[in-house]
Structures are given as structure tokens and as C-alpha cells.
Amino acid sequence: MGEAGTFEGMTAILSGPKPRSETAEQILEVAETLIQTRSYSAFSYQDIADALGIRKASIHYHFASKADLGAAVIDRYAERFGKALASMERDPSVSSVALLDFYIEPYLQFARTPDRVCLCGALAGEIPTLPPEMRMRVDQFFKAHHAWLAGILERGVARNEFTLPASPAKTARLVFGALQGALLVKRTTGDTSQMKDVVTVLKSQLSNLVTAGRHPAVRKGDIRRNVKSRM
């Protein structure tokens, strides 16, 4: 299909294959969590230094500015997501319904945490104040998700797995917007049923095969392993 290549191509263009030290990876991990739970503007290098027990100078050595750090966090997140999606869609025996389940699972995982949301969903709320290099990456991440979802929906229609209420492109916008919005509402209310209800309705609107349980499913163990690689 090539849609997953959208993720991988985007990451290659933005960052390229740059091996990182263990310290750099730890810095990125902490920064990603802080963005997801606080926001980009609400954390500092001191927060990361305190969490890792290192000096701020060590962070500046790897990431000269906060904008550099933020861009690297997005590149790393997009790369993980893209590789996981690409690895699943290469298997033609996996149904489009199962691929959609695989895509949705991280949202359900985030909904089970007290305050984490999708990294780029968190950054979207700060778009006006983000550095240009970060705004561009968030925009590309969203476009890549729309393209992948549209491709999976189109694949499902061709295989008689999905019945869509609109074109694949428009339905992809619906799915993506509903998932991102449900996470934000859950974060506000603390009601985990918000995400579950949204997912149930979305899937019921897309295909009768889902409720009938007649699609070749991805094994739960495979989903959990790949979800952990994306979160």
C-alpha cells in the first residue's frame, strides 16, 4: 500500500538515521513523558536533569536547545509508530479490521493512564507557541496518520471488510479526530468509558464484521508487544 512508508519517509526526511547514546535516549524518554503529561511549555531542562540525576549541561550537550529536543522527541515517536504499523501491514493475511484494532490500541492504553495522551495530540494544543521545526513535524505526523488510516479503510472496502459512511479520506478524518478528542475528554473527566464508547461506535459504523467476530484477528500478544514499542 505504501501508507506506512509515509511514516518512515517522513522520519527519514526530518531526522535521518542518527544513532543516539544511552543518555540521549533517556533524555528523550523523559521529555516525551513530560510533554504527554504536562505540555511542551510546562517543563524545563532542570526537570529532566532532576529526573535523571544529571547536570543540565549534559542535556545541552545532546540537544543544544529545547526546540532541538522537542523536534527529536517527535522524530523518535513518529519513527516508532511508523515501524510498528509497517511491520503489521506487510502481512497480507492480517485483516484490515485487525489493522484498525492495532492502530486504536495505543489510544486505549493512553486512556488507562491518569494523564497521558498522544504526543502530537498534546503538542497540537500548543501549535501557536511551538518553534517552526516542531509545528512542521506535528503537521506531517497528522498527515501521515490520515494517509495510513485512509489506506487501511480503502483496503478494507476492497476486501469487503468495511462499509464506510463516506470516502476513505473523510472517514479517516472522522476516526482520527474522534480518537484524539476522546483522549482529551477522558483526560479532563477521568472517565475511561469515554474512549471505549467512541471506539465501539466507530467500529460498529465501519463494519458488521467487527461485531460478528468474523475477521482474522491480530493476536493480543502481538498487539501488546507492538503497542509498547509505539508508546
Side-chain angles (χ1 to χ4, degrees), residues 30-53:
V30 172
E32 180 178 316
T33 301
L34 288 171
I35 292 172
Q36 289 176 304
T37 56
R38 297 187 189 180
S39 71
Y40 173 76
S41 61
F43 82 89
S44 67
Y45 272 24
Q46 188 62 57
D47 293 318
I48 298 175
D50 291 342
L52 294 177

Side-chain angles (χ1 to χ4, degrees), residues 123-131 135:
L123 290 169
E126 302 183 85
I127 280 293
T129 61
L130 291 180
R135 291 201 300 269

Side-chain angles (χ1 to χ4, degrees), residues 22-218:
E22 182 179 351
T23 299
E25 286 292 337
Q26 291 174 341
I27 292 168
L28 290 169
E29 187 69 28
V30 172
E32 180 178 316
T33 301
L34 288 171
I35 292 172
Q36 289 176 304
T37 56
R38 297 187 189 180
S39 71
Y40 173 76
S41 61
F43 82 89
S44 67
Y45 272 24
Q46 188 62 57
D47 293 318
I48 298 175
D50 291 342
L52 294 177
I54 60 177
R55 296 166 59 88
K56 285 195 294 182
S58 297
I59 305 174
H60 282 287
Y61 172 79
H62 294 284
F63 306 100
S65 69
K66 191 177 179 183
D68 292 333
L69 174 59
V73 169
I74 299 172
D75 288 346
R76 177 172 171 266
Y77 189 77
E79 182 180 16
R80 290 202 315 269
F81 224 124
K83 284 182 177 179
L85 294 175
S87 69
M88 294 302 299
E89 97 177 348
R90 289 192 189 103
D91 184 353
S93 69
V94 176
S95 74
S96 302
V97 178
L99 286 170
L100 184 62
D101 284 339
F102 180 72
Y103 178 82
I104 289 172
E105 184 60 26
Y107 290 92
L108 293 170
Q109 294 277 30
F110 284 137
R112 296 184 193 112
T113 67
D115 51 9
R116 284 185 76 182
V117 294
C118 167
L119 176 76
C120 288
L123 290 169
E126 302 183 85
I127 280 293
T129 61
L130 291 180
E133 58 266 43
M134 291 184 65
R135 291 201 300 269
M136 178 266 289
R137 282 165 166 79
V138 173
D139 176 62
Q140 289 298 316
F141 184 83
F142 282 175
K143 287 177 179 176
H145 275 246
H146 288 145
W148 191 86
L149 280 168
I152 291 303
L153 294 172
E154 186 173 3
R155 177 182 187 265
V157 170
R159 293 165 60 136
N160 200 32
E161 297 173 89
F162 291 138
T163 301
L164 306 184
S167 69
K170 290 181 178 179
T171 305
R173 289 177 182 269
L174 170 66
V175 172
F176 186 69
L179 293 173
Q180 291 284 349
L183 264 185
L184 293 177
V185 173
K186 182 270 163 187
R187 188 186 211 181
T188 302
T189 63
D191 183 0
T192 56
S193 66
Q194 170 74 25
M195 177 60 71
K196 293 178 182 177
D197 289 347
V198 166
V199 169
T200 298
V201 173
L202 280 175
K203 291 169 67 174
S204 68
Q205 291 297 308
L206 293 178
S207 173
N208 290 329
L209 296 178
V210 177
T211 53
R214 289 181 279 136
H215 63 279
V218 178

Side-chain angles (χ1 to χ4, degrees), residues 7-21:
F7 289 93
E8 295 175 331
M10 178 189 76
T11 305
I13 291 171
L14 295 180
S15 61
K18 297 179 181 178
R20 303 186 186 95
S21 69

